[in-house]
Amino acid sequence: MLIRLGYDIQFDVPAPLAFVAQLRVHSSRAAELREPDVVHVTSSDGIGGDTTDIPTSEYIDSYGNICTRFYAPQGHLRVWTATSIDDSGLPDPVEWGAREIPPQDLPDNVLPFLLSSRYCEVDSLSAVAYELFGAVDPGWNRVQAICNWVNAKVTFNYGMTRPTKTALDVFTERVGVCRDFQHLAVTFCRCMNIPARYVAGYLGDIGVPLRLPMDFSAWFEVYLDGRWWAFDARNNMPRIGRVLMATGRDAADVAFLTSFGSSTLTSFFVVSEEAEATGTPAIQTP
Amino acid sequence: MLIRLGYDIQFDVPAPLAFVAQLRVHSSRAAELREPDVVHVTSSDGIGGDTTDIPTSEYIDSYGNICTRFYAPQGHLRVWTATSIDDSGLPDPVEWGAREIPPQDLPDNVLPFLLSSRYCEVDSLSAVAYELFGAVDPGWNRVQAICNWVNAKVTFNYGMTRPTKTALDVFTERVGVCRDFQHLAVTFCRCMNIPARYVAGYLGDIGVPLRLPMDFSAWFEVYLDGRWWAFDARNNMPRIGRVLMATGRDAADVAFLTSFGSSTLTSFFVVSEEAEATGTPAIQTP
Amino acid sequence: MLIRLGYDIQFDVPAPLAFVAQLRVHSSRAAELREPDVVHVTSSDGIGGDTTDIPTSEYIDSYGNICTRFYAPQGHLRVWTATSIDDSGLPDPVEWGAREIPPQDLPDNVLPFLLSSRYCEVDSLSAVAYELFGAVDPGWNRVQAICNWVNAKVTFNYGMTRPTKTALDVFTERVGVCRDFQHLAVTFCRCMNIPARYVAGYLGDIGVPLRLPMDFSAWFEVYLDGRWWAFDARNNMPRIGRVLMATGRDAADVAFLTSFGSSTLTSFFVVSEEAEATGTPAIQTP
Amino acid sequence: MLIRLGYDIQFDVPAPLAFVAQLRVHSSRAAELREPDVVHVTSSDGIGGDTTDIPTSEYIDSYGNICTRFYAPQGHLRVWTATSIDDSGLPDPVEWGAREIPPQDLPDNVLPFLLSSRYCEVDSLSAVAYELFGAVDPGWNRVQAICNWVNAKVTFNYGMTRPTKTALDVFTERVGVCRDFQHLAVTFCRCMNIPARYVAGYLGDIGVPLRLPMDFSAWFEVYLDGRWWAFDARNNMPRIGRVLMATGRDAADVAFLTSFGSSTLTSFFVVSEEAEATGTPAIQTP
């Protein structure tokens, strides 16, 4: 299956501003890209004047994510890409036999995903997690039980999140967006000594009846039986067409765009769909 | 100056338990160690029976810290080292001319130290930080102003901390231990776009009149003019004899000992003093 | 000036449900009402069937508010009143000479308005308040300084509140609705030992150019020089036509409607305008 | 049974300071007092000079508690009483048949004890409470289940509380002092629509083997079958000799001593024991 990918994100930037983007497809999927997913950055006056290409540089952060830096001038900023990726077309694998690995046997670089992080208060939710999931069969089954619980107990509502909302807030408020669902599930997994990391990427609605405006998505991964597996407490079903962009301990490590000052988002458009589904490219090259 | 370093930490371990220690002197100081600061781990029945050496393994985490893993059997656990280090004997450098580097010019690997982390809610405290320090001259002067503020406003009290205490808690409660002082100062620095990281290490009372029981200590570092500089919102004065062990975004990344289950601390002893000051080794080889 | 007052609030009630309303004009204004502001409660099937009057009972709570209780059957619930009140037509009084009364001289029943309450963490914000307002001239001037600060620092945004949002949340997030502004100002006043209470009532846009959909409003009162005075950190200007309905320590004491179970708000309409402004009654008698 | 009651509390007061005490035996027990429990307040220079009686005044707050006000001069302050009370000598009543009263049938003045208050976040803990106690038989049984849960899950530790600690903090931290146990149990009861109020009073160790230094104590009451009943999530057993002093929504309403400024507690002594147990009065008249 070929999946068309892209985004077109626009801002008004009132004064020169440093950005870091995590908008590249993850290096583990790079070989399947039909065209490089270059992060194009341009600036204009927003009223028809010349458009200038803004230079970018890239680095790999400590989680293996490709990060793109650029310094935006005052004006109208556009950040976009358009590419497509070969995909197996298969839903997320399900492996009920996958076992938990005790902490002493985990690889070194997996250990940080057992600890507390900005949005995942392992310390505050450990007692609750043990009460809810301590008696559940361990391994894949326990992770699935955590997803089922979060999915059943938390209500999706676009308006009911905020930048500072943590797993504990989600646990008490029981409402949020996809990142909130994943933060709570990630935290519960870590409380049970199951390594869990937050994931951001593309996820279209391939194979599901509901059609929503396309957006980036968050899910999470757990480490069982020697590898990372995708779980999604928001959708809570195997899905087709996840394209991983970045992973980290939580959304504090994974942000599509971070800027060190203020700007105003004026337009946001994401494409993630089966390529055959439309005849025209989703993102128009300017 | 020669500084004697060491620790002897003992636990009762009720059931086999995985540990990760961050108890090695940081690699940047390794060349100055007179003897390797091996993390010795032994286990016994605690009532005179045989003592067994517990094997350890080491790895470097993403912050460059040396981490020591071991799997402790049920019994009485002892973790210790004894070494000494050559030190300049000079107090922390003070460089009033050191300038802030704008985000767009920071090295890639410094950027994470501008963001929110478990104990440092940059998002929640940004408005406060700008109100307090926005009009202060930038650079070293602003960091010092932050330290002065935290040092003046927060009261030290051993009993008044808790594992979940964040910078925002310190800001409202105005009481804590050294890690709490540093978390608030680190957060304020990041709010002002000054990279700041949490540091743990040895700090004796060399050159200061007060003699307290020796302990590990926390301070922090800021990135100005192309390098990291030590600051200490708790003591708020240049000190002699800091020996860095580990750095990270906050205390969630830097823990002398992390275990993935419960144990009981039974004894805790740290040495960090000028070698000439005593005639006998501080940590007795068992 | 004659002010037309009323509301029409409708719910779908899925199962019989107990309600308490604080929807009566405060007893201190009762003599000025042209007609009694009876809380009418009716229930219907919502699709044209018969409408039934639901009996109510009333009591005065410990703050002197008139509370109306009723037990709603399953169905479509309507709560409404329509009345008008004589008003001086004068803006809120301003008395720069009004002095703070030290705690030892306050009337007994004013003392509770110095303490922490659900949304007003006097304990957590005291240090901040002293830093911000400790050097400000006391009395009316200090309360006005508090209103100025809150008004300048907090941004109004209908979408950015939540039922659990406290004064400390407002202080860190700097965004909210009118109740959030008042909670922060109330808390700062109490921190400075100035009694402050939360107020809910009618407030139209008489005398102000901006015309927003009419709604209930929140403001607050402080006790200076032996009486309560209206302040409003959201609008931060003397206004014409406030009609007090209920007061309490904070929004936990003052809720237009409290129900002990779930229902769905389907319609919400409030009138508060100069009577001459329209020729027809704002609330139609069903 | 005759129970000897009293206290002797001393402070250093650095500057004149207003106090409110809730140190009187509750009016519901007044008839059983052998002698009036006058709140004696004296001030001295603390080094042998004259002792001055400080005048007090009293009022009844909105919860029916007797409050004692006084204005302490700079110096050494002593607040004390010594009395005794006739008591049935019977343990707290246990009535397994006591039923919950639905909100619509509760007396007006009981309704506030269903709502959120400073330390009892009914809103934040409702989902948790329903998950834990929704399937438990209602009435006395459900309240007892709540006490059992809190008593089993929370560990008593004198050092692990703080003035701002709420029920949600207790739920996540699982450690605290008696007030913390009661706050969590009170909150869970309210979440289940069972009115619950916080109680402070004398509670000695009559009939229990353990002898601790005598102190005031906190417990709570729930409203079942038309009356208030004592429960105690800390001790979780019927006890002999509770003497109620004050009730309120939580500890923000009930404080043995509130002052509007700073002072230093220098001595704290409470007596609550069977009168025959000692031959000399516990509190010496100065």
Side-chain angles (χ1 to χ4, degrees):
Chain A
M1 178 186 294
L2 185 65
I3 300 175
R4 191 192 312 278
L5 301 177
Y7 50 81
D8 185 339
I9 308 171
Q10 302 184 30
F11 294 89
D12 281 334
V13 176
L17 190 56
F19 280 86
V20 179
Q22 291 179 315
L23 285 169
R24 294 286 308 277
V25 168
H26 196 259
S27 54
S28 58
R29 294 294 300 270
E32 295 158 289
L33 285 171
R34 289 278 176 99
E35 302 164 79
D37 62 330
V38 176
V39 179
H40 299 279
V41 183
T42 59
S43 179
S44 69
D45 63 8
I47 52 170
D50 288 347
T51 293
T52 310
D53 287 336
I54 304 301
T56 63
S57 65
E58 296 200 327
Y59 67 97
I60 309 290
D61 70 14
S62 68
Y63 301 104
N65 306 310
I66 309 170
C67 302
T68 307
R69 297 178 67 170
F70 53 92
Y71 187 56
Q74 184 274 330
H76 187 76
L77 186 76
R78 186 173 173 218
V79 183
W80 65 276
T81 206
T83 185
S84 52
I85 195 166
D86 285 305
D87 191 86
S88 69
L90 298 175
D92 301 326
V94 173
E95 184 51 66
W96 286 91
R99 290 159 306 167
E100 295 180 19
I101 298 178
Q104 61 273 18
D105 297 328
L106 289 170
D108 298 333
N109 63 1
V110 170
L111 288 172
F113 299 101
L114 288 176
L115 302 178
S116 282
S117 55
R118 170 69 182 99
Y119 297 111
C120 298
E121 307 102 325
V122 176
D123 32 25
S124 295
L125 283 165
S126 280
V128 171
Y130 273 93
E131 285 154 15
L132 291 174
F133 308 111
V136 169
D137 283 346
W140 187 281
N141 180 72
R142 184 179 269 158
V143 178
Q144 188 55 56
I146 288 171
C147 287
N148 292 350
W149 193 95
V150 172
N151 186 263
K153 298 292 189 178
V154 179
T155 301
F156 187 87
N157 187 322
Y158 263 116
M160 294 300 278
T161 192
R162 56 189 184 278
T164 57
K165 192 170 195 171
T166 69
L168 178 57
D169 293 328
V170 182
F171 178 72
T172 58
E173 301 177 19
R174 302 289 170 100
V175 64
V177 298
C178 66
R179 86 177 209 157
D180 300 318
F181 283 73
Q182 317 308 347
H183 279 155
L184 182 54
V186 161
T187 307
F188 279 150
C189 288
R190 292 184 192 165
C191 289
M192 304 309 295
N193 278 340
I194 302 172
R197 65 187 188 188
Y198 182 87
V199 173
Y202 294 96
L203 175 61
D205 47 13
I206 300 167
V208 291
L210 192 61
R211 296 229 140 219
L212 294 169
M214 284 180 281
D215 195 355
F216 294 121
S217 189
W219 60 92
F220 73 107
E221 292 182 338
V222 300
Y223 193 85
L224 295 173
D225 252 358
R227 54 160 285 198
W228 292 101
W229 305 82
F231 281 85
D232 181 341
R234 159 74 177 103
N235 293 299
N236 202 28
M237 57 182 297
R239 290 287 290 268
I240 297 167
R242 295 186 197 274
V243 180
L244 193 153
M245 298 171 84
T247 69
R249 293 194 297 189
D250 59 31
D253 291 329
V254 179
F256 296 109
L257 281 162
T258 302
S259 68
F260 299 94
S262 64
S263 61
T264 305
L265 181 71
T266 58
S267 169
F268 183 84
F269 183 63
V270 175
V271 170
S272 174
E273 58 184 358
E274 212 177 335
E276 290 73 10
T278 66
T280 53
I283 303 288
Q284 306 283 343
T285 307
Chain B
M1 178 187 293
L2 185 66
I3 299 175
R4 191 192 312 278
L5 301 177
Y7 49 81
D8 184 340
I9 308 172
Q10 302 184 31
F11 294 90
D12 281 334
V13 176
L17 190 56
F19 280 85
V20 179
Q22 291 179 314
L23 286 169
R24 294 286 307 277
V25 168
H26 196 259
S27 54
S28 58
R29 295 293 300 271
E32 295 158 289
L33 285 171
R34 289 277 176 99
E35 302 165 79
D37 62 331
V38 176
V39 178
H40 299 280
V41 184
T42 59
S43 179
S44 68
D45 62 9
I47 51 170
D50 288 347
T51 293
T52 310
D53 286 337
I54 304 301
T56 64
S57 65
E58 297 200 326
Y59 67 98
I60 308 290
D61 71 15
S62 68
Y63 301 103
N65 306 311
I66 309 171
C67 302
T68 307
R69 298 178 67 171
F70 53 91
Y71 187 57
Q74 184 274 330
H76 186 77
L77 186 75
R78 186 174 174 217
V79 183
W80 65 277
T81 205
T83 184
S84 53
I85 195 166
D86 285 304
D87 192 85
S88 70
L90 297 175
D92 301 326
V94 174
E95 184 51 67
W96 286 91
R99 290 158 307 167
E100 295 180 19
I101 298 178
Q104 61 273 18
D105 297 328
L106 289 170
D108 299 332
N109 62 1
V110 170
L111 288 171
F113 300 101
L114 288 176
L115 303 178
S116 283
S117 54
R118 171 68 181 100
Y119 297 111
C120 298
E121 308 101 325
V122 175
D123 31 26
S124 295
L125 283 165
S126 280
V128 171
Y130 273 93
E131 286 154 15
L132 291 174
F133 308 111
V136 169
D137 283 346
W140 187 281
N141 180 72
R142 184 179 268 158
V143 179
Q144 188 56 56
I146 288 171
C147 288
N148 291 350
W149 193 96
V150 173
N151 186 263
K153 299 292 189 177
V154 179
T155 302
F156 187 87
N157 186 324
Y158 263 117
M160 293 301 278
T161 192
R162 56 189 184 278
T164 57
K165 192 169 194 171
T166 68
L168 179 57
D169 293 327
V170 182
F171 179 71
T172 58
E173 301 177 19
R174 302 290 170 99
V175 64
V177 298
C178 66
R179 86 176 208 158
D180 300 316
F181 283 73
Q182 317 307 347
H183 279 155
L184 182 53
V186 161
T187 306
F188 279 150
C189 288
R190 293 184 192 165
C191 290
M192 303 309 295
N193 278 341
I194 302 172
R197 65 187 189 188
Y198 182 87
V199 173
Y202 294 96
L203 175 61
D205 47 14
I206 300 167
V208 290
L210 192 60
R211 295 229 139 218
L212 294 169
M214 284 179 282
D215 195 356
F216 294 122
S217 189
W219 60 92
F220 74 107
E221 293 182 339
V222 300
Y223 193 86
L224 295 173
D225 252 358
R227 54 160 285 197
W228 293 101
W229 305 82
F231 281 85
D232 182 341
R234 159 73 177 104
N235 293 299
N236 202 28
M237 57 182 297
R239 290 286 291 268
I240 297 166
R242 294 187 197 274
V243 180
L244 193 153
M245 298 171 83
T247 69
R249 293 195 297 190
D250 60 30
D253 292 329
V254 179
F256 297 109
L257 281 161
T258 302
S259 67
F260 299 94
S262 64
S263 61
T264 306
L265 181 70
T266 58
S267 169
F268 182 84
F269 183 63
V270 175
V271 170
S272 174
E273 59 184 356
E274 212 177 336
E276 289 74 10
T278 66
T280 54
I283 303 289
Q284 305 283 343
T285 307
Chain C
M1 178 187 292
L2 185 65
I3 300 174
R4 190 190 316 275
L5 301 177
Y7 50 81
D8 185 340
I9 308 171
Q10 301 184 31
F11 294 91
D12 280 335
V13 176
L17 190 56
F19 280 85
V20 178
Q22 291 180 314
L23 286 168
R24 295 285 309 277
V25 167
H26 196 258
S27 55
S28 58
R29 294 294 299 269
E32 296 158 287
L33 285 170
R34 288 279 176 98
E35 302 164 79
D37 61 331
V38 176
V39 179
H40 299 280
V41 184
T42 60
S43 179
S44 69
D45 61 10
I47 51 168
D50 286 348
T51 293
T52 310
D53 287 337
I54 305 300
T56 64
S57 66
E58 296 198 327
Y59 67 97
I60 309 290
D61 71 14
S62 68
Y63 301 102
N65 306 311
I66 309 171
C67 302
T68 307
R69 297 178 67 169
F70 53 91
Y71 188 56
Q74 184 275 329
H76 187 76
L77 186 76
R78 187 175 174 218
V79 183
W80 64 276
T81 204
T83 184
S84 52
I85 195 167
D86 286 304
D87 191 85
S88 69
L90 297 176
D92 301 326
V94 174
E95 183 52 65
W96 287 91
R99 291 158 307 167
E100 294 180 19
I101 299 178
Q104 62 273 17
D105 297 328
L106 289 171
D108 298 332
N109 63 0
V110 170
L111 288 172
F113 299 101
L114 288 176
L115 302 178
S116 282
S117 55
R118 171 69 183 99
Y119 297 111
C120 299
E121 307 103 324
V122 175
D123 30 26
S124 295
L125 284 164
S126 280
V128 171
Y130 273 93
E131 285 154 15
L132 291 174
F133 308 112
V136 168
D137 282 346
W140 188 281
N141 180 71
R142 183 178 268 158
V143 179
Q144 187 56 56
I146 288 170
C147 287
N148 291 350
W149 192 96
V150 172
N151 187 263
K153 300 290 189 178
V154 179
T155 301
F156 187 88
N157 186 323
Y158 262 117
M160 294 300 279
T161 192
R162 55 188 185 277
T164 57
K165 192 169 196 171
T166 68
L168 179 56
D169 293 327
V170 182
F171 178 71
T172 59
E173 301 178 19
R174 302 289 171 99
V175 63
V177 298
C178 66
R179 86 176 206 158
D180 300 316
F181 283 73
Q182 317 307 347
H183 279 155
L184 182 54
V186 162
T187 307
F188 280 150
C189 288
R190 292 183 192 166
C191 289
M192 304 307 296
N193 278 341
I194 303 172
R197 66 186 187 188
Y198 183 87
V199 173
Y202 294 96
L203 175 62
D205 47 14
I206 300 167
V208 290
L210 193 61
R211 294 232 141 216
L212 293 169
M214 283 179 282
D215 195 355
F216 294 121
S217 189
W219 59 92
F220 75 106
E221 293 182 339
V222 300
Y223 193 85
L224 296 173
D225 253 358
R227 55 159 284 198
W228 293 100
W229 306 82
F231 281 85
D232 182 342
R234 159 73 177 105
N235 293 299
N236 202 27
M237 58 183 295
R239 290 287 291 268
I240 296 165
R242 295 186 197 274
V243 180
L244 194 154
M245 298 172 84
T247 70
R249 293 195 296 189
D250 60 31
D253 291 330
V254 178
F256 297 110
L257 280 162
T258 301
S259 68
F260 299 95
S262 64
S263 60
T264 305
L265 181 70
T266 57
S267 167
F268 183 83
F269 183 63
V270 175
V271 169
S272 174
E273 58 184 358
E274 211 178 335
E276 289 75 9
T278 66
T280 53
I283 304 288
Q284 305 284 344
T285 306
Chain D
M1 178 187 292
L2 185 65
I3 300 175
R4 190 191 315 275
L5 301 177
Y7 50 81
D8 185 340
I9 308 172
Q10 301 184 31
F11 294 89
D12 279 335
V13 176
L17 190 57
F19 281 85
V20 178
Q22 292 180 313
L23 286 169
R24 295 285 309 276
V25 167
H26 196 259
S27 55
S28 58
R29 295 293 299 270
E32 295 158 288
L33 285 171
R34 288 280 176 96
E35 301 164 79
D37 61 331
V38 177
V39 179
H40 300 279
V41 184
T42 60
S43 178
S44 69
D45 61 11
I47 51 168
D50 286 349
T51 293
T52 310
D53 287 336
I54 305 301
T56 64
S57 66
E58 296 198 327
Y59 68 97
I60 309 291
D61 71 15
S62 68
Y63 301 103
N65 306 311
I66 309 170
C67 303
T68 307
R69 298 178 67 169
F70 53 92
Y71 188 56
Q74 185 274 330
H76 187 76
L77 186 75
R78 187 175 173 218
V79 184
W80 65 276
T81 204
T83 184
S84 52
I85 195 168
D86 286 304
D87 191 85
S88 69
L90 297 176
D92 300 326
V94 174
E95 183 52 64
W96 287 91
R99 292 158 306 168
E100 293 180 20
I101 298 178
Q104 62 273 18
D105 297 328
L106 289 171
D108 299 332
N109 63 1
V110 170
L111 288 172
F113 299 101
L114 288 176
L115 302 178
S116 282
S117 54
R118 171 69 182 98
Y119 296 112
C120 299
E121 308 102 325
V122 175
D123 30 25
S124 295
L125 283 164
S126 281
V128 171
Y130 273 92
E131 285 154 15
L132 291 173
F133 308 111
V136 169
D137 283 346
W140 188 281
N141 181 71
R142 183 178 269 158
V143 179
Q144 187 57 55
I146 288 170
C147 288
N148 292 349
W149 193 95
V150 172
N151 186 262
K153 300 289 189 178
V154 179
T155 302
F156 187 87
N157 185 324
Y158 262 116
M160 294 300 280
T161 192
R162 56 188 184 277
T164 57
K165 192 169 196 171
T166 69
L168 178 57
D169 293 328
V170 182
F171 178 72
T172 59
E173 301 178 18
R174 303 289 171 98
V175 63
V177 298
C178 65
R179 86 176 207 159
D180 300 316
F181 283 72
Q182 317 307 347
H183 280 155
L184 182 53
V186 161
T187 306
F188 279 150
C189 288
R190 291 183 193 166
C191 289
M192 304 307 297
N193 277 342
I194 303 171
R197 66 186 187 188
Y198 182 87
V199 173
Y202 295 96
L203 174 62
D205 47 13
I206 300 168
V208 290
L210 192 61
R211 294 232 140 215
L212 294 169
M214 283 179 283
D215 195 355
F216 295 121
S217 189
W219 60 91
F220 74 106
E221 292 182 340
V222 300
Y223 193 84
L224 296 172
D225 253 358
R227 55 159 284 199
W228 292 100
W229 305 82
F231 282 84
D232 182 342
R234 159 73 177 104
N235 293 298
N236 202 27
M237 59 183 295
R239 291 286 292 268
I240 297 166
R242 294 185 197 275
V243 180
L244 193 154
M245 298 171 84
T247 70
R249 293 195 296 189
D250 60 31
D253 291 330
V254 178
F256 297 110
L257 280 163
T258 301
S259 68
F260 299 94
S262 64
S263 60
T264 305
L265 182 69
T266 57
S267 167
F268 183 83
F269 183 63
V270 175
V271 170
S272 174
E273 58 184 358
E274 212 179 332
E276 289 75 10
T278 66
T280 54
I283 304 288
Q284 306 283 345
T285 307

